[in-house]
Amino acid sequence: MFSTPSTLTLDSQPIGRGTVQLLKGENGSGHGCRWGAYFIGPRSLNVIYWKYVTDISMAWQWTFALCTARLSRVGQERPHPGMNKSEQALSVLQGVIERGELTPGAMVSESQLMEMTGLGRTPVREAIQRLALSYMVRIHPNKGIEIPAISVEDQLSGLEVRRAVEVLAVGLACERGAAAELDAMRKLAGQLTGDFTLRRYTETVRETHRLIIEAAHNPYLGVLMTPLQALSRRFWIMHVRDEQREIRHGGRLHADMLNAIADRKVERASAASLALNDYLVQFTLAVVAKMASRPHSPKSK
């Protein structure tokens, strides 16, 4: 007799049982009403829960989704000038994970990552350790390196923390940013209004985050924000469908935040940061709603 797996996946993305508890307010977090308020109609949460407890055959079909790693050499990354080899390896590997070129569930070896980056064992090993701290890889001794899946619950939980930390970061950047740093932000904000490929847009967003962290002049902020921002980007890239529409909207939000910091307007920068976070939350909840509305097989009698 088969039992329903503890984690189901749709499009190779997991929806953990905790997500249902989070949305229904059953996990003691007190967030059920907040997240659940975005869902209207009798099918939404009930359909998600029904997929967990009744549809065993479809559950196994989802769970056994094929994960394959694309291990071609990556030669198009553009590391920031002045990066050492460890930072270059980190930039390349973070990019291929965010873009899904190493798919969730894939197992890779250190030598394969060395081949992908074109860098030696030491910088790649250091990059792997940093990625593990950011929850972007999971190290299994004597087995390999796993690219973990990212769930809706992961994204919502990360955005909750990012919301508070990023407001602090933009406020400090307004107060502490050097003239050259603010000029760089204003220049980048102008670029964010142009046309982008998905790859170039995500690289520009990563540069936006880097500039804000540097201008805040607090090293602990980088430790907190970098993995949270990487998590958000990875989830967004995996689920974005209308790329150009989302890029235009996201570009405006990032540009508003950069321009406010460059003008040293703390309240405006904080409001822009919150608007960006609201967009990412709405995007995530729209993904859940779309998953819930998909046709499913009838209950077996």
Side-chain angles (χ1 to χ4, degrees), residues 18-70:
T19 300
V20 177
Q21 295 173 327
L22 177 70
L23 295 173
K24 295 178 74 177
E26 294 174 353
N27 66 342
S29 66
H31 299 155
C33 293
R34 177 145 60 99
W35 300 128
Y38 289 90
F39 292 85
I40 304 230
R43 288 175 51 82
S44 54
L45 297 180
N46 288 336
V47 169
I48 298 176
Y49 186 70
W50 181 85
K51 289 180 185 295
Y52 281 105
V53 298
T54 62
D55 195 349
I56 294 172
S57 62
M58 189 171 289
W60 282 108
Q61 180 182 343
W62 290 332
T63 301
F64 291 135
L66 179 64
C67 291
T68 58
R70 281 174 271 174

Side-chain angles (χ1 to χ4, degrees), residues 186 254 276:
R186 194 173 280 109
H254 283 90
L276 174 60

Side-chain angles (χ1 to χ4, degrees), residues 2-265:
F2 290 105
S3 59
T4 306
S6 59
T7 300
L8 305 184
T9 58
L10 288 168
D11 290 345
S12 301
Q13 304 305 310
I15 305 179
R17 191 177 294 275
T19 300
V20 177
Q21 295 173 327
L22 177 70
L23 295 173
K24 295 178 74 177
E26 294 174 353
N27 66 342
S29 66
H31 299 155
C33 293
R34 177 145 60 99
W35 300 128
Y38 289 90
F39 292 85
I40 304 230
R43 288 175 51 82
S44 54
L45 297 180
N46 288 336
V47 169
I48 298 176
Y49 186 70
W50 181 85
K51 289 180 185 295
Y52 281 105
V53 298
T54 62
D55 195 349
I56 294 172
S57 62
M58 189 171 289
W60 282 108
Q61 180 182 343
W62 290 332
T63 301
F64 291 135
L66 179 64
C67 291
T68 58
R70 281 174 271 174
L71 295 173
S72 57
R73 176 76 168 269
V74 179
Q76 298 179 355
E77 293 290 333
R78 293 179 292 179
H80 189 266
M83 283 183 173
N84 60 37
K85 289 186 177 180
S86 174
E87 291 166 337
Q88 290 176 32
L90 179 65
S91 177
V92 171
L93 294 177
Q94 187 177 63
V96 296
I97 294 170
E98 286 178 7
R99 292 191 298 271
E101 293 171 21
L102 287 172
T103 53
M107 291 289 290
V108 294
S109 67
E110 194 175 79
S111 60
Q112 287 173 314
L113 298 183
M114 289 166 59
E115 174 65 22
M116 290 183 72
T117 60
L119 295 166
R121 187 174 301 278
T122 297
V124 168
R125 185 168 291 175
E126 290 173 354
I128 291 168
Q129 294 296 332
R130 292 174 68 179
L131 288 169
L133 291 174
S134 300
Y135 306 103
M136 294 192 75
V137 301
R138 189 176 293 129
I139 301 170
H140 298 277
N142 303 319
K143 292 184 180 180
I145 300 149
E146 179 187 359
I147 310 302
I150 174 174
S151 69
V152 170
E153 187 176 8
D154 291 334
Q155 173 73 335
L156 290 174
S157 297
L159 287 173
E160 187 172 48
V161 178
R162 176 177 168 179
R163 187 177 185 87
V165 174
E166 201 158 65
V167 166
L168 172 62
V170 299
L172 291 176
C174 286
E175 296 168 359
R176 300 175 178 176
E181 292 169 333
L182 301 185
D183 287 343
M185 289 188 194
R186 194 173 280 109
K187 181 179 178 181
L188 189 60
Q191 295 173 6
L192 280 163
T193 59
D195 294 328
F196 285 92
T197 62
L198 179 62
R199 180 171 183 146
R200 182 167 164 262
Y201 173 72
T202 55
E203 289 174 353
T204 305
V205 167
R206 195 191 305 177
E207 177 67 4
T208 298
H209 297 157
R210 187 191 67 79
L211 286 175
I212 293 171
I213 291 169
E214 285 190 357
H217 294 280
N218 185 321
Y220 295 101
L221 273 177
V223 174
L224 285 171
M225 288 181 63
T226 300
L228 293 171
Q229 290 165 336
L231 177 75
S232 298
R233 285 194 301 271
R234 186 179 172 209
F235 185 92
W236 185 87
I237 292 168
M238 285 183 173
H239 293 284
V240 67
R241 294 297 177 263
D242 189 343
E243 290 183 7
Q244 289 307 309
R245 182 174 69 87
E246 300 293 348
I247 286 172
R248 284 193 296 272
H249 186 50
R252 284 194 299 270
L253 292 170
H254 283 90
D256 288 346
M257 185 166 58
L258 287 173
N259 280 323
I261 297 171
D263 293 338
R264 298 192 188 275
K265 300 295 184 182

